[in-house]
Amino acid sequence: MIANFIKFQQYGDERGALVALEDMKNVPFPIRRIYYMFGCAEGVLRGEHAHKQLKQVLIAVRGSCRFLLDDGHSRTEVVLDDPAQGLLVDPMVWHEMWDFSEDCLLMALADAHYDEADYIRNYQEFLRNAAQ
Ligand code: T46
């Protein structure tokens, strides 16, 4: 599957850089939740699920990690390492994150509040749903 990246405008001068995230502007949905991951040790695998409804944009604000996208038909692996770039993760995309750099700060913008019922955490169940 194709990875959909959003390139954010970066405002920079001799003082440093700034990126602004605005829902319905450069983030294509209403932002209802922001969460972030950090301190992910070497060898750790995160994610391993798909969402039924949730849309998200993932940004490596600092450091890097690898990201797998799987729509049930094909798989794509990308590296997240650019704080001025977001990866759009649509519903019904199985995703995994690994190979976190020690300094990785991975931020997610989501269009809904946390709801465990929205997760599909079993890959076989995901494939059955994706085939429908
Ligand atoms: C996703 C990937 C990219 C909450 O209580 N509220 C929240 O908003 C979130 C995101 C998580 N949690 C709790 C649930 C678990 O007890 O935090 C714990 C760790 O969550 P999880 O194991 O789902 O973390 P990841 O890194 O596997 O997945 C997370 C998001 O949960 C998920 O939606 O798409 O990052």
Side-chain angles (χ1 to χ4, degrees):
M1 67 170 293
I2 294 167
N4 285 318
F5 281 104
I6 304 169
K7 191 75 194 161
F8 302 123
Q9 166 114 40
Q10 192 169 315
Y11 302 94
D13 55 32
E14 67 285 353
R15 297 169 301 167
L18 185 153
V19 170
L21 305 171
E22 296 182 284
D23 62 356
M24 307 310 289
K25 289 193 172 175
N26 56 359
V27 175
F29 50 72
I31 300 169
R32 301 288 305 282
R33 178 166 53 111
I34 299 170
Y35 63 90
Y36 46 91
M37 285 152 266
F38 55 94
C40 303
E42 206 184 327
V44 154
L45 177 63
R46 302 195 66 119
E48 294 187 282
H49 59 253
H51 286 284
K52 296 173 189 167
Q53 309 271 346
L54 192 72
K55 282 187 201 156
Q56 303 192 91
V57 168
L58 274 292
I59 306 163
V61 176
R62 192 179 60 216
S64 64
C65 69
R66 291 185 176 275
F67 203 100
L68 169 80
L69 301 151
D70 175 347
D71 64 5
H73 302 284
S74 63
R75 304 184 135 216
T76 306
E77 256 185 54
V78 294
V79 175
L80 300 185
D81 61 357
D82 182 352
Q85 182 173 268
L87 175 66
L88 189 60
V89 181
D90 280 323
M92 291 308 293
V93 173
W94 184 268
H95 50 280
E96 300 177 3
M97 304 87 82
W98 73 102
D99 220 2
F100 293 90
S101 64
E102 205 180 323
D103 62 346
C104 184
L105 171 56
L106 181 62
M107 182 171 75
L109 314 175
D111 75 344
H113 292 164
Y114 177 71
D115 177 10
E116 184 57 38
D118 187 63
Y119 286 70
I120 303 175
R121 293 191 183 270
N122 179 289
Y123 188 67
Q124 295 310 318
E125 184 188 342
F126 162 72
L127 287 180
R128 282 194 297 276
N129 281 275
Q132 284 171 7

